[in-house]
Amino acid sequence: MIMVPYNHTEFINIVTDLVNNNYISMDRIDDAVRRILQVKLTLGLFETPLADETLVDQLGSQAHRDLAREAVRKSLVLLKNGENADAPVLPLPKKASRILVAGSHANNLGYQCGGWTATWQGVDGNNYTAGTTILSGISAAVDPSTEIVYNNNPDADFVKSNNFSYAIVVVGETPYAETAGDSLNLTIVEPGPSTILNVCGNVKCVVVIISGRPVVIEPYESQIDALVATWLPGTEGQGVADVLFGDYGFTGKLPRTWFKIVDHY
């Protein structure tokens, strides 16, 4: 069994040629095939080769979405919450005169889901699957009297002139899978860094990071009042809002310290 998604006929021809020219022995081929057949036999695929579709109509049900939303809540990691424990920024108040939601990832289900989802390398936008963006989750969570202003990448003058009570900035990585995601710098994609500096330099802000791994945040950390790692929350963005506004507490923890510079990773 080989994972070659496109040029599989070329692969077959190459392996056949290598066998015919004694570079690969038939014993090696038999061993590989025997292992796969053993797994299929153990799984009962010879007797029942097709999936059981009895519960297929339950896929994406509200019960499934509720469970996914719970998983989002429990996976969030609080990286910073104010300058000290006596002055926490989170949870945010649901009732405020006007709040800003900014960032390239605030209203993008494709970015929330990441790679290996709708497509191999993931997608950009909200047209590929049903779900709730983080922006929509925030809108549902706050008091009806709270005015929400959404701006993907506001400049500093916009932030200064609108008298926001606070801001939520959602930025991170774009989707990837396998080697397409290889990175030597692990940076937040543009305009994310600019959005952080423009917003957090001028109003109290919470930065929400969407990423499949830790990313460089140290250059902006001093500007950020509260920082949350959401990883790849998937379709149920309201799970993020559940925790930002205090309906649930933070329970996620890092397996290792978030690096300051990429050389520490």
Side-chain angles (χ1 to χ4, degrees):
M1 180 177 288
I2 187 70
M3 189 173 175
V4 180
Y6 301 119
N7 300 327
H8 61 281
T9 56
E10 181 181 353
F11 167 79
I12 293 171
N13 292 336
I14 291 172
V15 172
T16 301
D17 185 63
L18 291 172
V19 171
N20 289 336
N21 287 280
N22 298 317
Y23 288 102
I24 300 176
S25 69
M26 279 304 301
D27 285 344
R28 181 66 184 88
I29 298 294
D30 289 343
D31 177 65
V33 173
R34 187 180 299 111
R35 292 169 184 268
I36 294 301
L37 292 178
Q38 182 62 51
V39 171
K40 291 183 176 182
L41 180 65
T42 302
L43 293 174
L45 295 182
F46 292 108
E47 293 79 17
T48 311
L50 301 179
D52 181 355
E53 298 185 359
T54 304
L55 301 176
V56 70
D57 60 336
Q58 299 299 309
L59 294 175
S61 66
Q62 190 57 50
H64 287 183
R65 294 188 180 277
D66 290 344
L67 186 61
R69 182 173 171 178
E70 178 185 350
V72 173
R73 293 194 297 262
K74 290 182 175 179
S75 65
L76 302 187
V77 178
L78 180 60
L79 300 175
K80 181 179 180 180
N81 192 15
E83 291 304 319
N84 56 68
D86 296 326
V89 174
L90 296 171
L92 294 168
K94 294 183 178 181
K95 191 169 186 177
S97 58
R98 177 184 296 165
I99 67 173
L100 171 65
V101 179
S104 52
H105 292 54
N107 190 35
N108 197 308
L109 283 175
Y111 287 0
Q112 287 177 201
C113 291
W116 278 117
T117 51
T119 67
W120 177 34
Q121 293 296 331
V123 294
D124 174 4
N126 298 329
N127 298 324
Y128 300 90
T129 187
T132 304
T133 66
I134 293 175
L135 173 62
S136 297
I138 293 169
S139 299
V142 299
D143 189 88
S145 66
T146 299
E147 179 186 357
I148 297 176
V149 177
Y150 169 62
N151 189 316
N152 183 42
N153 185 29
D155 59 29
D157 289 338
F158 178 86
V159 179
K160 292 176 185 177
S161 63
N162 274 279
N163 194 31
F164 294 114
S165 302
Y166 58 81
I168 301 172
V169 178
V170 190
V171 293
E173 296 184 301
T174 50
Y176 55 81
E178 300 182 17
T179 54
D182 287 357
S183 172
L184 296 177
N185 50 39
L186 294 175
T187 52
I188 295 170
V189 297
E190 291 290 350
S194 300
T195 307
I196 292 174
L197 295 175
N198 288 340
V199 175
C200 297
N202 295 288
V203 68
K204 181 171 68 175
C205 79
V206 177
V207 172
V208 175
I209 303 294
I210 293 181
S211 65
R213 56 203 167 186
V215 291
V216 174
I217 199 70
E218 182 67 16
Y220 332 108
E221 187 273 330
S222 62
Q223 300 279 337
I224 297 169
D225 297 296
L227 179 63
V228 178
T230 68
W231 314 112
L232 298 173
T235 59
E236 305 311 302
Q238 198 159 349
V240 177
D242 288 340
V243 182
L244 292 182
F245 293 99
D247 292 335
Y248 295 84
F250 285 93
T251 58
K253 296 183 182 299
L254 296 176
R256 58 182 294 176
T257 303
W258 195 287
F259 60 81
K260 287 189 175 182
I261 60 174
V262 73
D263 290 345
H264 294 165
Y265 193 45

